[in-house]
Amino acid sequence: MRGGGHKYSSLTWRELDILSGKLAARLCRDCRTNTPVVVYGHKDPLMLVCFLACVKSGRAYCPVDVSVPLNRVEAIIDAVKPELVLAVEPLKTSGGTLVMDRAGILAALEQETGTAAPERYVSADDVFYIIFTSGSTGTPKGVQITRDCLDHFIQWGITLGRGLDDGKRRVFLNQAPFSFDLSVMDLYLSLYTGGCLFALSKEVQGDMNTLLSALEQSGAEVWVSTPSFADMCLADKKFCDALASRLSLFLFCGETLTNRTADRLASAFPKADIVNTYGPTESTVAVTQVRITPELRLETPLPVGEEKPGTWIFIQDEEGRDLPDGTVGEIVIAGDSVSTGYWKRPDLTERAFGARIVEGVRYRTYRTGDSGMKRNGQLYYQGRMDFQIKLHGYRIELGDIEGNLLKLEGVTAAAVLPIMREGKVRSLTAYVVAERHSSDNFAEGQRLRGDLRALVPEYMIPKKFVFLDRLPMTNNGKVDRRALGGNKK
Ligand code: AMP
């Protein structure tokens, strides 16, 4: 892996194996319990040493990125109640949990001579990692992913695009922080195929010129990111195959891949494959995939694809009844990569998870809260059920307006937010990124409003248009609706 910028800023396979074995030996000796270990830090190869040390010592790891605010880090530590926190970056918690800092980790790596016996490794049904996602109440919830779930994901992941398990050692690009499960895609597909992981730090991602030169130097062949991150790069004309000529596969997950993004990417990288994948953290990164061919790009919206083997997707109504093809309902996932539930939260687990017999086998199920529809074996994502609003009695999917705004001339990105007063939606505001700056935003807003009228009913026309240079993104690389000042419901 390459990333970081200090000692061990680049690790070979052998080094990663030896160092993680040493740290695992230390954990086996010093820890009294098998509780998961919180690993705090950023894009640093030492993070991988810590992750693998945990699982080699029979403990799950819980990755927490430096971009997570301190009070949330503390909430996570409070929820996990780890015996030990491995802090690759400085961390000052107010609690009494034992923290092994970077110096302590480096000292352990120098001092240890042994390794952990393979019998100690986490196996089959053991939890391999716990990733915290935001809960609707504001308290983060820890999604437990077992080693089997991860294995099932990897066995499918290596078949993406034209296949990644052909003995070629590819360079994978890592955009997402390790506390976002999208990073599991680049991390474990690169580890499994003996490739190289090239991590982009948040400093690098924060400056376009630095980012472009990092991309150029990376030699990256497989790109893994949210579509928003690709949009941000596409805003610079230099982002094309002349800059990163070896990029042959774009893997997307986490949010809607629009036709516009796919089209622009296809023109900038005509030789590369674009693959859209879909899935929540609760079903281990992604469970559907589709290659976005030139023919498919003519279809709007783009599908999110067909299920991986071992996964079944059902579309259900509010009473949990299966709906036929072509009918919109809640996306429910059943299969071998569905999580065992939320860490120490049986109440939340019971609400969202269940079980179902499919083809004679009992699988865990997860109700996603996403709305979608199946047609000809393809899944179509239709937005979050909780992004569905009512305005003056009309039922509106904000994603519907956004999708139509993107069809308008000159619009490169759009987010629509409801404006609430006294618990009710009063109006809609559109945040728009335009290809060209207009000196008269009012007139430009009027033009978009007029053009949008041709596409959606009047009640879906936003009252206000705000023009931005780019949409704010969360640390995970999705559009940050909260930063735009909106409230979901
Ligand atoms: P996370 O658990 O953070 O990965 O977020 C999962 C959610 O992201 C899903 O439940 C969807 O709402 C959304 N999502 C994931 N993949 C896609 C996709 N390909 N297209 C649209 N939305 C997606």
Side-chain angles (χ1 to χ4, degrees), residues 133-255:
T133 66
S134 60
S136 52
T137 55
T139 314
K141 43 190 188 184
V143 181
Q144 314 176 113
I145 296 299
T146 65
R147 176 167 169 174
D148 272 354
C149 287
L150 181 61
D151 274 348
H152 294 135
F153 165 73
I154 294 172
Q155 293 312 323
W156 167 75
I158 55 171
T159 66
L160 293 175
R162 289 163 202 256
L164 297 166
D165 197 23
D166 51 7
K168 248 186 96 188
R169 292 167 170 247
R170 296 175 173 81
V171 179
F172 287 69
L173 200 73
N174 159 267
Q175 167 251 321
F178 293 127
S179 47
F180 178 21
D181 89 323
L182 177 57
S183 67
V184 169
M185 190 176 299
D186 44 76
L187 171 53
Y188 286 101
L189 296 187
S190 67
L191 284 184
Y192 188 86
T193 57
C196 167
L197 186 67
F198 189 97
L200 298 168
S201 69
K202 63 186 173 80
E203 288 74 27
V204 169
Q205 294 187 32
D207 178 80
M208 197 42 122
N209 287 331
T210 318
L211 174 59
L212 290 176
S213 71
L215 291 175
E216 189 171 19
Q217 284 159 24
S218 69
E221 292 157 285
V222 183
W223 171 287
V224 180
S225 85
T226 55
S228 287
F229 183 73
D231 277 337
M232 189 180 94
C233 296
L234 284 165
D236 195 308
K237 294 272 179 298
K238 291 196 282 299
F239 181 64
C240 64
D241 65 352
L243 179 95
S245 58
R246 297 177 65 187
L247 267 175
S248 56
L249 176 61
F250 286 84
L251 296 175
F252 290 112
C253 192
E255 10 160 62

